Amino acid sequence: MATEASEIEREIERAAESLPPPETLAALARRRLARELRALPSEGSAAWRAALLAEAPAGASLGALAHAIRASARAGRMDEARELFVALLRRTDGLNRRWVATALRGLPGAPDERRERAQDLAQELALALWRRVGLGDDPAWELFFQRALDFTQRKVATTWLRRQGLRADPRVERAERGLALVFSQFEENAPETALPVEPEAATLASADLADLRALVQRLPERERLAVVMRYWQRAGEAEIAAALGVTTRATRYILRRAYRRLRLWYAGASDEGASDE
Amino acid sequence: MSDTFNGQDDGALDLDALAVQERFLEEWRAGKRPRLSAYLRRYPQHAAALAALVAALPPDTLAGTAQEPLAESFPERLWTGAGVARALAEIFGPEPAGHEAPRVAEERAPYQTPADDAPRDE
């Protein structure tokens, strides 16, 4: 057992050592963007616009498009900025629709009302994007556009829901659905491998996955990391223990506490008692 | 929610956290099954951002049984809808006469699998 744990520890160490420092990753992204921008025709020309508006995948990256929108707005070429900004909204429409569906999931309302809410959210997001991409100067939007978009979508949804008097995670109060399958994989004495999942049950699990994601984000950091490693990556106790720098016994305790907290939240209760053993 | 964010609402995002997330995603997209444990060891300062990213991906516990269905997608295009039109009017003023929307293809979502590619509403 101890040998297995130390082998896992060594594997993690080896994998970690192969990862470059964050500043190197950011520098690589900078170089990639600079290369792409250099390859474009001169800024503001018709050829430049055409290159930026070209169909993907031959077209510019979203980061280059963000760069161009900013450049156009700064130069006061607002018609051009508008055209490029609309192109950006169109290219990210798939991501934005998925985000809207997730944000509105679980909210009550007739179809018309949901459509109106979706349009409200789309408006909020477009305005937020303009502030960040068109007016701001945060390089994240040029270097890691999709990650920055993902983060901003979450911020916009949370703020919007709060303003509407709605909870950011309404499922917390709506615990009527059973989560037997999800929690069967969390059982304290379950073997290291996941239980077999029937296709029908997998659908249930995936439907409940959004609930689980919302709740996992509320866990204290160590419990959150342990649950994400255990459920999302099927990590064993030894791997989790090595990653958190604790013993396997402590890992079991952390997981038990997290599951108890999640169960209580699903039941609509506060997390009082979650830390009791 | 301070996982990749520095400061106030319109403040700068944490470039290093985004770079680390992107590295993880690149490996994941390439089917390399990167381990969160190794990333936590290497980048402990970005633990929250990494956990949020991994939790947004389909869990390995569903692998080999059934693919996680795409989250219920919103069927209507947003970029041509009333919400975006209102935002554009607020930012740029009324739409110029004779203006035509540019034709640009949507980019594939970062977590999209080939099976999810089928419905495109271009």
Side-chain angles (χ1 to χ4, degrees), chain B residues 39-60:
Chain B
Y39 274 70
L40 291 177
R41 174 69 59 91
R42 183 70 181 87
Y43 311 113
Q45 70 276 35
H46 302 306
L50 284 164
L53 176 69
V54 175
L57 299 172
D60 287 358

Side-chain angles (χ1 to χ4, degrees), chain A residues 85 122-127, chain B residues 82-93:
Chain A
F85 187 58
Q123 180 179 357
E124 292 292 320
L125 181 65
L127 291 170
Chain B
V84 166
R86 288 195 295 264
L88 291 175
E90 189 176 329
I91 299 165
F92 298 103

Side-chain angles (χ1 to χ4, degrees), chain A residues 13 16 19-20 90-91 93 97-98 101 115 119 123 138 146-147 151 154 213 232-234 239, chain B residues 1 3-4 13 34 36-37 41-43 55 57 60 70 72 74 76 79 83 86 104 107 122:
Chain A
E13 195 57 49
L19 295 168
R90 177 171 176 163
R91 281 183 58 177
D93 203 56
R97 286 207 309 265
R98 182 186 295 223
R115 259 195 294 278
Q119 294 303 329
Q123 180 179 357
D138 185 349
Q146 292 192 9
R147 305 307 322 139
F151 186 79
R154 277 188 283 142
R213 282 180 173 131
W232 267 266
Q233 299 209 308
R234 297 196 204 204
E239 183 178 353
Chain B
M1 183 103 41
D3 48 355
T4 51
L13 290 160
L36 179 56
S37 51
R41 174 69 59 91
R42 183 70 181 87
Y43 311 113
L57 299 172
D60 287 358
L70 193 60
E72 53 179 306
F74 192 78
E76 295 163 32
W79 75 282
R86 288 195 295 264
V104 188
E107 184 152 294
E122 276 298 303

